[in-house]
């Protein structure tokens, strides 16, 4: 026999969910009131409270966050969108989650690790302004740069992780997951940074290498050793052709690393990668200064020929949609009305008759009009 009280509770819960799923004025107003009482009570936004801030290196910090109860968890390797207001303008950036899923399952905590970028508005704000007790608006976890499940009919390939700089953050989450679930698994990490002082998670990685019997950790310092080579990879991982590769770092580094791995016999279908930041070719020349008009909003801003359309739109106070910010996902695609743009990845002019452009990699050359963004 069903419990009448249980049925009533379920009915009320269903009504409450339907109420908050509607986008009416009443819902918006009530959510505003709840947010004024406590941002964590918001029913329209996922909010996270800053619980702890950890200095990893001179320019990298880990922010431990407690998301509100509505947040749904993540898979190791995924990222979240972080939204914060800077001088009246909402700025959004994607940051990889650097902890293991177990931390969220057991303590309802997550962490993001952020490197301060010179001239970067979001990373500078997080480093210099954010304190324990502050709140951030975060999105649901996204991304498919995650550990691949072994196919039952085939033996699982041993993971090889290759990272550069802050590209270690999603990989750190994956390694921690492996430690919790299959600590005996054979894994290797090859990690490139400029110098020993730039080694993010150094103490954690050393601890992991001691506590996991089959974890091999190879740090490399480009200022003294130079950039990645096939010889280094072959020496660190002689069975590289039999591995599953997880590669993360700046696009220039990833381009070199993936080419070396292919040369050493790694199958393309065993390569999984995610890039951080935009690759700027060595021969890139900034565009010409001009005025950028966003026709739908009526706003405009001056361009110095160095910033992308996406960066200029945000500086103008707009809130454009975007994803990777590096020319991969096409989430920021917009329509050009007049003017010319330069492809930041190739350094080449986009043809005049191509009206659909990617805002995150398009740099205006002189005056430009954007029809929709």
């Amino acid at each position: 026999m069903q419990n009448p009280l249980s049925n009533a509770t379920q009915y009320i819960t269903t009504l409450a969910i339907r109420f908050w799923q509607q986008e009416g004025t009443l819902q918006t107003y009530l959510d505003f009131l709840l947010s004024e009482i406590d941002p964590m009570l918001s029913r329209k936004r996922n909010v996270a409270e800053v619980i702890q801030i950890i200095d990893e290196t001179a320019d990298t910090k880990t922010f431990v966050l407690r998301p509100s109860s509505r947040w749904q968890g993540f898979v190791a390797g995924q990222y979240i969108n972080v939204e914060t207001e800077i001088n009246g303008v909402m700025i959004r950036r994607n940051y990889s989650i650097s902890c293991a899923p177990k931390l969220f399952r057991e303590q309802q905590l997550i962490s993001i690790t952020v490197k301060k970028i010179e001239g970067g508005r979001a990373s500078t704000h997080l480093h210099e302004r954010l304190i324990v007790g502050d709140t951030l608006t975060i999105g649901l976890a996204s991304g498919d740069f995650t550990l691949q499940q072994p196919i039952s009919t085939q033996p699982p390939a041993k993971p090889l992780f290759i990272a550069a700089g802050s590209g270690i953050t999603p990989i750190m989450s994956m390694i921690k997951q492996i430690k919790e679930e299959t600590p005996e698994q054979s894994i290797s990490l090859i990690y490139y940074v400029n110098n020993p002082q730039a080694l993010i998670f150094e103490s954690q990685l050393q601890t992991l290498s001691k506590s996991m019997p089959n974890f091999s950790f190879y740090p490399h310092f480009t200022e003294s050793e130079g950039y990645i080579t096939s010889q280094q990879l072959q020496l660190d991982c002689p069975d590289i052709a039999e591995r599953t590769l997880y590669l993360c770092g700046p696009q220039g580094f990833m381009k070199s690393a993936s080419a070396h791995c292919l040369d050493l016999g790694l199958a393309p279908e065993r390569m999984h990668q995610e890039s951080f930041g935009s690759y700027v070719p060595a021969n890139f020349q900034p565009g010409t200064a001009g005025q950028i008009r966003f026709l739908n909003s009526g706003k405009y801003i001056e361009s110095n020929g160095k910033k992308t359309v996406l960066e200029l739109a945000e500086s103008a106070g707009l809130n454009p949609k975007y994803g990777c910010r590096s020319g991969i996902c096409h989430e920021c695609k917009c329509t050009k009305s007049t003017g010319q743009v330069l492809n930041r990845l190739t350094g080449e002019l986009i043809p005049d008759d191509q009206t659909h452009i990617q805002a995150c990699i398009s740099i205006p050359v002189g005056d430009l009009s954007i029809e929709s963004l």
Side-chain angles (χ1 to χ4, degrees):
M1 181 177 178
Q2 291 185 325
N3 185 339
L5 181 59
S6 174
N7 288 343
T9 302
Q10 186 176 2
Y11 178 69
I12 292 171
T13 302
T14 302
L15 285 181
I17 292 173
R18 289 178 181 171
F19 173 80
W20 285 110
Q21 284 177 339
Q22 297 175 26
E23 297 292 337
T25 304
L26 179 58
Q27 286 81 2
T28 302
Y29 179 66
L30 289 176
D31 190 68
F32 169 76
L33 292 179
L34 289 172
S35 298
E36 287 295 296
I37 297 170
D38 183 346
M40 301 291 284
L41 296 176
S42 174
R43 307 301 298 173
K44 296 285 187 182
R45 299 177 296 139
N46 287 305
V47 178
E49 180 183 4
V50 180
I51 300 299
Q52 186 182 10
I53 300 175
I54 304 167
D55 291 322
E56 302 288 357
T57 68
D59 61 1
T60 303
K61 293 185 178 184
T62 290
F63 299 89
V64 181
L65 310 174
R66 186 189 302 281
S68 58
S69 59
R70 298 172 57 246
W71 202 71
Q72 299 174 3
F74 69 100
V75 176
Q78 289 189 310
Y79 62 85
I80 56 172
N81 186 268
V82 175
E83 181 178 298
T84 187
E85 183 176 336
I86 304 174
N87 298 326
V89 177
M90 296 307 296
I91 300 293
R92 293 176 293 156
R93 294 289 185 272
N94 293 332
Y95 293 111
S96 290
I97 298 170
S98 54
C99 63
K102 184 179 179 181
L103 184 67
F104 180 72
R105 287 198 306 270
E106 297 187 350
Q107 302 182 45
Q108 289 73 55
L109 298 176
I110 62 171
S111 67
I112 58 173
T113 301
V114 180
K115 183 174 182 177
K116 185 179 178 181
I117 306 298
E118 185 177 352
R121 300 175 70 190
S123 63
T124 300
H125 177 83
L126 295 180
H127 271 249
E128 297 181 357
R129 302 291 183 183
L130 202 67
I131 61 173
V132 172
D134 283 353
T135 58
L136 295 168
T137 298
I138 64 172
L140 298 177
S142 303
D144 53 9
F145 183 62
T146 57
L147 288 170
Q148 302 299 301
Q149 296 299 318
I151 300 172
S152 59
T153 56
Q154 297 178 1
K158 293 179 288 187
L160 166 62
F161 300 99
I162 301 179
S166 57
I168 189 66
T169 50
I171 285 175
M172 191 64 183
S173 179
M174 295 182 191
I175 294 175
K176 287 179 176 177
Q177 179 175 326
I178 291 173
K179 179 181 184 299
E180 291 165 0
E181 297 180 356
T182 55
E184 302 296 324
Q185 186 174 7
S186 176
I187 62 174
S188 294
L189 168 63
I190 303 173
Y191 183 25
Y192 287 82
V193 292
N194 290 338
N195 50 55
Q197 293 72 36
L199 204 59
I200 304 171
F201 305 131
E202 180 183 11
S203 62
Q204 292 187 59
L205 289 169
Q206 297 295 353
T207 301
L208 285 168
S209 66
K210 292 175 183 173
S211 61
M212 298 173 71
N214 298 310
F215 175 36
S216 301
F217 173 39
Y218 304 99
H220 288 286
F221 309 113
T222 55
E223 289 181 355
S224 57
E225 301 178 50
Y227 293 111
I228 185 171
T229 66
S230 295
Q231 291 76 18
Q232 277 179 347
L233 292 175
Q234 182 73 68
L235 190 63
D236 291 344
C237 188
D239 61 348
I240 190 169
E242 302 168 10
R243 299 277 183 147
T244 293
L245 172 65
Y246 298 89
L247 173 63
C248 190
Q251 288 196 11
F253 168 82
M254 290 177 55
K255 187 177 179 181
S256 298
S258 57
H260 291 315
C261 290
L262 291 172
D263 289 344
L264 293 171
L266 187 71
E269 61 269 22
R270 285 189 168 179
M271 293 177 58
H272 308 279
Q273 50 189 308
E274 185 157 272
S275 64
F276 278 21
S278 296
Y279 171 60
V280 181
N283 61 349
F284 175 77
Q285 296 295 324
T288 307
Q291 188 177 76
I292 315 305
R293 291 187 173 276
F294 300 98
L295 302 180
N296 277 5
S297 64
K299 294 191 175 184
Y300 61 90
I301 190 169
E302 299 298 324
S303 164
N304 61 5
K306 297 180 180 177
K307 290 187 175 182
T308 65
V309 172
L310 177 60
E311 292 169 331
L312 291 165
E314 290 175 335
S315 297
L318 298 176
N319 194 24
K321 185 180 179 183
Y322 68 85
C324 65
R325 299 182 76 91
S326 56
I328 298 173
C329 71
H330 291 251
E331 282 289 314
C332 61
K333 204 171 192 179
C334 62
T335 304
K336 172 172 69 76
S337 179
T338 60
Q340 280 190 312
V341 296
L342 203 61
N343 185 323
R344 186 178 182 180
L345 301 183
T346 64
E348 297 175 351
L349 281 173
I350 292 178
D352 287 345
D353 58 353
Q354 180 180 330
T355 56
H356 292 100
I357 61 173
Q358 290 174 266
C360 70
I361 58 169
S362 296
I363 296 180
V365 180
D367 294 341
L368 179 74
S369 295
I370 298 296
E371 190 173 311
S372 64
L373 184 65

